[in-house]
Amino acid sequence: MSAPLLELRGLSGGYPPVSVFRGVDMTVGNNEAVGLFGPNGHGKTTLLKTVAGLIDPRDGDIFFAGERLNTEGKMRPRTSRHLNYDLFRRRRISAESVVRQGLIYVMQGNLLFPEMTVEEVLDIAPQAARGRGGAAQMRDLVDAVFPRLRERWHSKIRFLSGGERQMVSIAAGLLALPRLLILDEPTLGLSPKLRIELCEAIAKIRAENVPLIVVDQNVEFLTSLVDRLYLFDHGAITREIDGSAMPSHEEVMTMMFGEAH
Amino acid sequence: MKYAPSFQRTNGFWPVVIALCIAAALPFFFTETHIRHILILIFVYAILASNWDLSLGYGGIVNFAHIAFFAIGLYTYGIAAKIIGLDPWLALLLAPVLAIAFAALLAIPVLRLEGIYVILVTIAAAQLLFQLVVSQGDFTGGTSGMVLIPRLEIVGYRLSSDGRIGYYYLSLLLVVFSTVFLYKLERSALGRAIKALRDNKYYAISRGVSEGRIRLLTLCASAIFPGLAGAFYGAYLRIASPDVFGLGFLTITLSILLLGGISTIWGPLIAAVVITAFAEILADYGASRSIIIAAMIIAVVVVYPGGLYAAMQEIWGLGTRLRTNVTAAWRRRFQASLRQEAMGVKDHLVETRHGPVSVCDTGNGDQTIIFVHGNSSCKEVFRRQFDEFAGQYRLVTFDLPGHGVSPNGNPDEDYAVEAYAEIIRNLVDSLDLKTPIVFGWSLGGYAALEYAARGTP
Amino acid sequence: MTLETFAFLLASGLVLGGLYALMASGLAVVWTTLGVFNFAHGAMIALGAYIAWQVTQYTTGGAGFLLGAGVSVAIMFCLGFAMHYVLVKPFELHANLVLLAVITTLAAASIMENAILLSWGPRDKQIAPPFTGNIEFLGTAIGIHDFVILAIALAALLALALFLRRTTAGRALRAVAQNREAAELMGFNVSRLVAMTIGLSAATAALAGVFVGSLRFISPTVGTDPLMKSLIVVILGGVTRFTSPIYAAFIVGLAEAFSAYFLVLYWAPAVLFAMMIIVLLIKPEGLFGRRTRTL
Ligand SMILES: Nc1ncnc2c1ncn2[C@@H]1O[C@H](COP(=O)(O)OP(=O)(O)OP(=O)(O)O)[C@@H](O)[C@H]1O
Ligand SMILES: [Mg+2]
């Protein structure tokens, strides 16, 4: 395999002073879809936010397309409780430059911009992709995958349903021309019907060869979509499952919690 | 329920006694009225800022009408003593009553609002009061204020005689009363309810704290001493001007509070001294003085938002850490034989993710037992177990960070059950202990459970 | 009341309303974006007025007035932009942001006021109104200058509204105000956008300052009264939509003009503040607002 698209090496982080995940090693190959599965509240979102540049990593490295996204070295622990460290410390990673590189993170349960219309949101979304080609095709893809959005074109986000909001989020992510798209629980809190609709949409996106990291609580959906699955538990990757041997929901639960889950 | 030790037994006792003695003796060293005037100003600011902290720091109510309490005290005294002709001492006592009444009125809108709206409604209330004062020129003297307000006398002795010495001690007395009041209040059931409401409103309410009542009491309590101080100020300067409603006065008081540190009683007192003295040193610079002071305030807030008192505590804490670290190093270096005698083996430092810990590793056997000691203890408590089991098991024990002879840890990260579990895991890896039995005593028990819950990867 | 008095009060109320709208929208834009109340807004108005006055000392007449306004707006935009990095950015993530920002903006106001005092002295100044002459309006003579001010104020507000609604940059500013994290994830430089917002706010303050300075005398503390007025406007109107403080500004402007006629002059502000407290009690989100704050 050639150099991976995304590589996390011994990545640790959290919300200082709390450490949430530590020593995470993870790779996403070119043109690969990877799943991340784990119990609620164990730090998947925190990990992905770190990768997206919203939170500074404490230790470890993030490589994307061969380039390091974070500054080298590890975060020095704070020794003073009240000193304003934000003033002295440079951020170790910046969301802006991560997004410019084409690593797009679609946040979990994203409210987006409640007072803006769908049209306005999708108008500012390609900001990150300035200077790269392919915007027109992506627009067509978004139209094909989410025909529903055209119907709500001039509605404000706050009047949309949860599923529609999720669609806008993903569409906005796509319009930023992702080289790797991270979807954090895209089907969270949706009705079964909408859920199926959204899963199909994501499968369609995958069919366009967009590399993905998907977090979801539904193992069946994940295994049908991804090439590899990481199991994530207590802030660390506990197992990596290859595409050839995708387990069922029951099997995964047993792997993670033992027989008596 | 009594959590806090009595004041005589806290670290703060002697510093406060010394500060009081100094304050009581100062007028004998400084006989010029000007310096005494500055000192009295310091006391007035200290009262204003530290009582403001009651609502703002402890209560979480950002009350921008706090200075209005002072103004009400000032004008109450002025009007009562000069226009109504009340005895000045009675007028002095009337002032806080009216300030409390205003605080109760203010509580009506404040109780219904949150966040920035509280700031806005209190600004509006203060401005309303200002407009009223200015518009009622017959009583208040309008924009030019009142002059020649009656002074305070004790059986014919004017407090302003002998270089204002009477006013000096009266203001000192006010500061002492105000501070005792705040100190007692903070430690009372009411004080705990006030802090509980600030920290977790809904939990506090669900535990039976009445939000409306407590917030009302907070506001009223924070009005008493500013009201008194206002009346005192009127009697002392003998003028009452609407300038007290201005942004300048508010800015200085608020800076004293924030630079001293919110949610502390002593911080604003210290900051009142520092800032007023600093302003006095720069007195000759006119407008640039205000610029310098404002720039300094911005610099401090930006660099160290915790304030002076927190800085003092942190420096004190640094000293303590240095001392204990030196002691631990000394014991590691020079008293190793003592410990070796107890445990039967020499200890050594092992590096972990949470800093180095001092480890004893002895015994033979395939199975390892790790002993984890309890809070405020050390690894040597297990010497009997070490004697007993050394034949059958490999025995490992260590000092948790900051315990025994291990160096201190980082308070934000290393003193937590999760950290202890990670230390155990690091030890298991670096000493190659395979699958150990972990024996924990007290706090060590929690660490052992946490280690067990994480499983072995 | 005669028709003439009515017309006169109406006109002066409208001019006041235009001014207040300009000041209040600047204040509201920062508030919605940062959740911070900018106490330096009044001092910015004063500084804007003084800068324009300085320019009119060199070039007089209508050109000087417009040039002064332009220079003042440009300088204040840069100053506002820089202020973000000094006064807000360092503790943007601090739990006590609102309180800390109160003290830094108060301190900044003190710095600006005293800097004015140092460079221009305490004596009152006035920017010469360049457009003299009156026009007939329902039987009274109204100064052309007042109309020019009203027109420029409205045009500036319209331009600001169009910028925020129609242009990508303006939409990005609104995006930052509504959901900072999501905006960051779209690749925007959030700090720069916030700084730009404060810059825009300072620019409107400067424009308002120029107008104030040509209507009355300016002194280093000339901004205090406008600050309080914009506060009332923002409370009355709420900040949900860009337009809500504008309606409120005209209501306040007219109310002030008419109450000054009917009530004793000194009572007018007290009435306004009492009104503000009542509105806060009954409908804290403002007369035209919803509870959320957005741009
Ligand atoms: N802003 C924050 N500050 C401090 N702690 C946080 C913050 N956000 C989340 N946490 C904590 O971090 C831990 C990990 O949360 P995270 O959202 O990353 O979990 P998750 O694996 O994504 O869960 P879920 O499956 O429910 O989305 C949780 O225990 C949570 O309480
Ligand atoms: Mg999550």
Side-chain angles (χ1 to χ4, degrees):
Chain A
M1 204 167 70
S2 62
L5 183 62
L6 176 75
E7 185 177 7
L8 312 183
R9 282 191 209 148
L11 195 66
S12 309
Y15 307 94
V18 183
S19 154
V20 173
F21 61 90
R22 64 203 82 75
V24 171
D25 295 306
M26 190 172 160
T27 54
V28 180
N30 291 305
N31 219 343
E32 196 183 23
V34 162
L36 193 61
F37 177 85
N40 291 124
H42 280 204
K44 304 179 295 293
T45 299
T46 313
L47 170 68
L48 296 179
K49 274 186 178 177
T50 310
V51 173
L54 291 178
I55 309 172
D56 277 346
R58 176 179 304 229
D59 196 2
D61 289 309
I62 305 168
F63 288 95
F64 185 66
E67 279 183 55
R68 189 201 304 274
L69 293 182
N70 58 319
T71 45
E72 232 172 313
K74 60 193 222 172
M75 192 196 272
R76 274 189 296 128
R78 324 166 48 119
T79 46
S80 163
R81 198 176 293 269
H82 293 282
L83 200 63
N84 188 2
Y85 280 88
D86 298 337
L87 192 66
F88 304 113
R89 263 193 202 151
R90 289 183 59 81
R91 288 289 311 267
R92 303 193 58 226
I93 189 165
S94 109
E96 193 194 354
S97 61
V98 170
V99 174
R100 286 275 152 85
Q101 297 266 331
L103 176 55
I104 308 294
Y105 171 58
V106 177
M107 236 199 292
Q108 171 176 3
N110 194 350
L111 295 169
L112 276 171
F113 313 112
E115 295 294 323
M116 292 172 82
T117 64
V118 174
E119 186 242 330
E120 287 174 325
V121 172
L122 298 188
D123 169 56
I124 57 172
Q127 165 78 13
R130 273 184 323 203
R132 278 195 275 145
Q137 287 115 292
M138 200 45 97
R139 231 167 263 281
D140 295 340
L141 174 66
V142 168
D143 277 340
V145 177
F146 299 118
R148 214 184 241 264
L149 290 186
R150 280 280 167 196
E151 296 163 22
R152 310 302 310 263
W153 205 236
H154 292 291
S155 310
K156 286 189 175 173
I157 301 293
R158 98 191 139 82
F159 296 125
L160 299 187
S161 75
E164 286 163 343
R165 264 181 222 177
Q166 196 63 55
M167 289 178 192
V168 180
S169 286
I170 299 177
L174 283 175
L175 288 178
L177 304 184
R179 289 159 75 191
L180 170 63
L181 186 65
I182 304 180
L183 302 176
D184 195 354
E185 312 225 5
T187 64
L188 186 76
L190 299 189
S191 74
K193 182 171 166 295
L194 249 179
R195 193 193 165 87
I196 292 170
E197 199 176 310
L198 207 64
C199 289
E200 278 168 3
I202 295 172
K204 256 189 234 167
I205 294 169
R206 176 65 195 135
E208 296 291 317
N209 284 331
V210 180
L212 291 177
I213 298 180
V214 186
V215 179
D216 207 275
Q217 294 297 343
N218 185 332
V219 178
E220 253 69 61
F221 164 57
L222 276 187
T223 48
S224 69
L225 183 73
V226 302
D227 306 318
R228 251 170 341 115
L229 185 63
Y230 285 101
L231 298 190
F232 189 86
D233 197 8
H234 280 99
I237 299 234
T238 49
R239 202 184 283 256
E240 183 187 338
I241 302 167
D242 233 346
S244 48
M246 276 300 170
S248 73
H249 183 76
E250 274 303 304
E251 285 163 355
V252 170
M253 296 308 262
T254 313
M255 283 178 208
M256 297 197 72
F257 305 112
E259 290 299 335
H261 57 265
Chain B
M1 283 200 296
K2 221 175 167 80
Y3 303 109
S6 59
F7 183 61
Q8 291 87 309
R9 296 175 53 205
T10 58
N11 278 340
F13 181 63
W14 286 112
V16 168
V17 169
I18 293 168
L20 256 181
C21 292
I22 294 176
L26 270 183
F28 299 106
F29 298 104
F30 298 107
T31 43
E32 306 114 89
T33 40
H34 176 65
I35 294 200
R36 289 187 185 169
H37 172 71
I38 305 291
L39 293 172
I40 292 173
L41 269 190
I42 290 179
F43 292 150
V44 169
Y45 277 125
I47 293 174
L48 270 180
S50 61
N51 281 278
W52 199 348
D53 202 19
L54 182 59
S55 56
L56 192 146
Y58 290 108
I61 308 167
V62 189
N63 171 21
F64 268 64
H66 185 79
I67 302 295
F69 298 151
F70 180 81
I72 285 181
L74 180 62
Y75 275 98
T76 305
Y77 180 83
I79 293 171
K82 185 179 176 191
I83 296 181
I84 305 180
L86 214 59
D87 179 69
W89 289 99
L90 273 182
L92 189 76
L93 291 182
L94 184 65
V97 176
L98 283 201
I100 292 174
F102 176 67
L105 274 182
L106 187 68
I108 299 171
V110 165
L111 290 185
R112 299 181 41 128
L113 299 170
E114 281 195 9
I116 196 156
Y117 289 108
V118 174
I119 302 186
L120 300 178
V121 81
T122 47
I123 293 177
Q127 285 295 317
L128 180 58
L129 206 62
F130 168 64
Q131 299 295 350
L132 283 178
V133 164
V134 169
S135 62
Q136 298 303 304
D138 296 344
F139 298 108
T140 60
T143 42
S144 44
M146 304 173 83
V147 289
L148 290 180
I149 300 172
R151 52 171 83 87
L152 289 170
E153 297 178 356
I154 301 176
V155 284
Y157 174 78
R158 288 180 187 171
L159 295 190
S160 54
S161 339
D162 299 321
R164 299 174 176 175
I165 192 135
Y167 282 119
Y168 177 85
Y169 281 112
L170 184 59
S171 58
L172 178 60
L173 206 64
L174 278 181
V175 174
V176 172
F177 278 150
S178 151
T179 310
V180 170
F181 170 75
L182 290 175
Y183 189 84
K184 289 278 178 211
L185 187 75
E186 197 222 326
R187 275 155 186 74
S188 67
L190 176 61
R192 284 197 292 273
I194 290 173
K195 282 184 274 181
L197 263 184
R198 171 199 62 186
D199 292 342
N200 194 338
K201 182 172 145 187
Y202 296 105
Y203 186 65
I205 293 173
S206 74
R207 297 306 301 258
V209 174
S210 154
E211 189 198 4
R213 202 175 66 93
I214 298 293
R215 286 183 132 197
L216 173 72
L217 284 178
T218 314
L219 279 177
C220 291
S222 73
I224 300 172
F225 280 92
L228 260 178
F232 166 84
Y233 200 63
Y236 166 60
L237 286 185
R238 307 191 63 197
I239 50 172
S241 106
D243 288 350
V244 292
F245 286 103
L247 276 185
F249 194 46
L250 179 119
T251 309
I252 295 181
T253 317
L254 191 62
S255 336
I256 288 178
L257 174 52
L258 283 179
L259 287 198
I262 57 171
S263 305
T264 64
I265 292 177
W266 312 110
L269 302 188
I270 299 166
V273 178
V274 174
I275 292 190
T276 319
F278 191 74
E280 196 46 39
I281 294 170
L282 296 177
D284 297 337
Y285 292 84
S288 354
R289 166 174 90 161
S290 309
I291 295 181
I292 295 171
I293 292 179
M296 194 189 72
I297 287 168
I298 293 178
V300 173
V301 166
V302 162
V303 174
Y304 197 86
L308 274 177
Y309 190 61
M312 282 168 58
Q313 279 181 322
E314 224 170 308
I315 290 170
W316 177 262
L318 275 184
T320 314
R321 288 187 58 182
L322 191 69
R323 201 189 68 226
T324 48
N325 251 348
V326 168
T327 329
W330 168 267
R331 294 202 175 128
R332 271 200 307 276
R333 178 85 177 69
F334 295 109
Q335 300 179 349
S337 54
L338 259 176
R339 291 193 307 279
Q340 188 174 2
E341 226 165 80
M343 303 299 280
V345 63
K346 242 178 110 105
D347 50 11
H348 57 283
L349 285 182
V350 175
E351 195 60 44
T352 69
R353 211 183 82 74
H354 294 274
V357 295
S358 171
V359 175
C360 273
D361 182 358
T362 182
N364 32 39
D366 294 337
Q367 181 63 54
T368 308
I369 309 182
I370 302 180
F371 292 94
V372 191
H373 67 77
N375 192 9
S376 307
S377 183
C378 62
K379 61 183 182 306
E380 282 74 30
V381 293
F382 296 116
R383 56 186 182 276
R384 302 232 160 72
Q385 287 77 2
F386 265 55
D387 285 346
E388 198 64 34
F389 293 119
Q392 303 130 42
Y393 298 99
R394 178 172 177 193
L395 301 174
V396 173
T397 186
F398 62 98
D399 285 327
L400 293 171
H403 291 71
V405 294
S406 288
N408 290 335
N410 174 353
D412 276 344
E413 298 184 0
D414 300 340
Y415 299 131
V417 169
E418 291 78 19
Y420 300 156
E422 256 174 49
I423 293 174
I424 300 177
R425 180 185 290 188
N426 289 160
L427 288 182
V428 169
D429 291 343
S430 55
L431 302 178
D432 192 20
L433 304 180
K434 311 218 170 56
T435 315
I437 298 169
V438 183
F439 175 86
W441 170 46
S442 181
L443 175 65
Y446 288 108
L449 284 176
E450 178 71 23
Y451 175 73
R454 291 176 175 223
T456 28
Chain C
M1 184 168 63
T2 59
L3 186 66
E4 283 88 63
T5 344
F6 177 78
F8 176 75
L9 291 178
L10 186 68
S12 60
L14 284 177
V15 173
L16 276 181
L19 267 182
Y20 292 165
L22 208 52
M23 299 167 188
S25 55
L27 201 58
V29 162
V30 171
W31 182 356
T32 44
T33 305
L34 278 168
V36 156
F37 189 83
N38 179 12
F39 279 92
H41 203 72
M44 285 174 166
I45 290 174
L47 191 53
Y50 273 94
I51 295 174
W53 178 84
Q54 194 63 50
V55 175
T56 55
Q57 294 311 100
Y58 303 124
T59 21
T60 45
F65 183 75
L66 294 180
L67 183 68
V71 169
S72 170
V73 164
I75 292 182
M76 288 308 288
F77 178 85
C78 300
L79 190 71
F81 195 89
M83 266 172 69
H84 169 65
Y85 288 94
V86 180
L87 301 183
V88 184
K89 174 112 196 304
F91 43 83
E92 225 167 14
L93 307 174
H94 199 278
N96 264 340
L97 166 68
V98 173
L99 204 55
L100 295 176
V102 165
I103 193 68
T104 51
T105 52
L106 273 176
S110 162
I111 292 182
M112 281 192 240
E113 273 171 16
N114 286 292
I116 291 174
L117 200 58
L118 278 182
S119 9
W120 283 287
R123 193 165 302 148
D124 286 352
K125 311 221 175 325
Q126 189 178 24
I127 301 173
F131 311 104
T132 45
N134 296 318
I135 49 169
E136 197 78 358
F137 174 69
L138 293 180
T140 42
I142 310 285
I144 295 179
H145 185 62
D146 291 3
F147 276 103
V148 172
I149 285 182
L150 186 59
I152 299 183
L154 288 179
L157 287 173
L158 188 68
L160 191 57
L162 283 180
F163 169 72
L164 288 173
R165 302 249 149 223
R166 296 270 183 270
T167 64
T168 307
R171 286 170 173 176
L173 285 186
R174 284 167 60 215
V176 169
Q178 292 175 28
N179 188 339
R180 196 191 172 94
E181 224 175 28
E184 236 177 293
L185 284 175
M186 281 196 168
F188 293 114
N189 184 338
V190 171
S191 288
R192 199 165 58 212
L193 287 173
V194 172
M196 225 161 95
T197 310
I198 299 185
L200 275 179
S201 159
T204 58
L207 197 57
V210 175
F211 295 157
V212 170
S214 63
L215 290 176
R216 14 183 136 144
F217 289 107
I218 48 179
S219 67
T221 52
V222 70
T224 315
D225 179 59
L227 177 71
M228 287 302 153
K229 289 289 157 47
S230 354
L231 183 74
I232 296 177
V233 167
V234 167
I235 294 299
L236 285 184
V239 286
T240 317
R241 257 167 281 128
F242 184 72
T243 45
S244 28
I246 298 179
Y247 300 139
F250 282 101
I251 292 178
V252 170
L254 289 170
E256 192 178 330
F258 280 88
S259 65
Y261 176 77
F262 287 111
L263 300 163
V264 189
L265 186 63
Y266 272 137
W267 277 99
V271 168
L272 281 178
F273 283 108
M275 225 161 92
M276 169 173 162
I277 294 177
I278 292 168
V279 167
L280 272 175
L281 263 174
I282 299 168
K283 208 162 176 292
E285 62 276 22
L287 290 177
F288 310 103
R290 276 183 315 274
R291 197 125 205 170
T292 50
R293 53 173 182 84
T294 45
L295 197 58

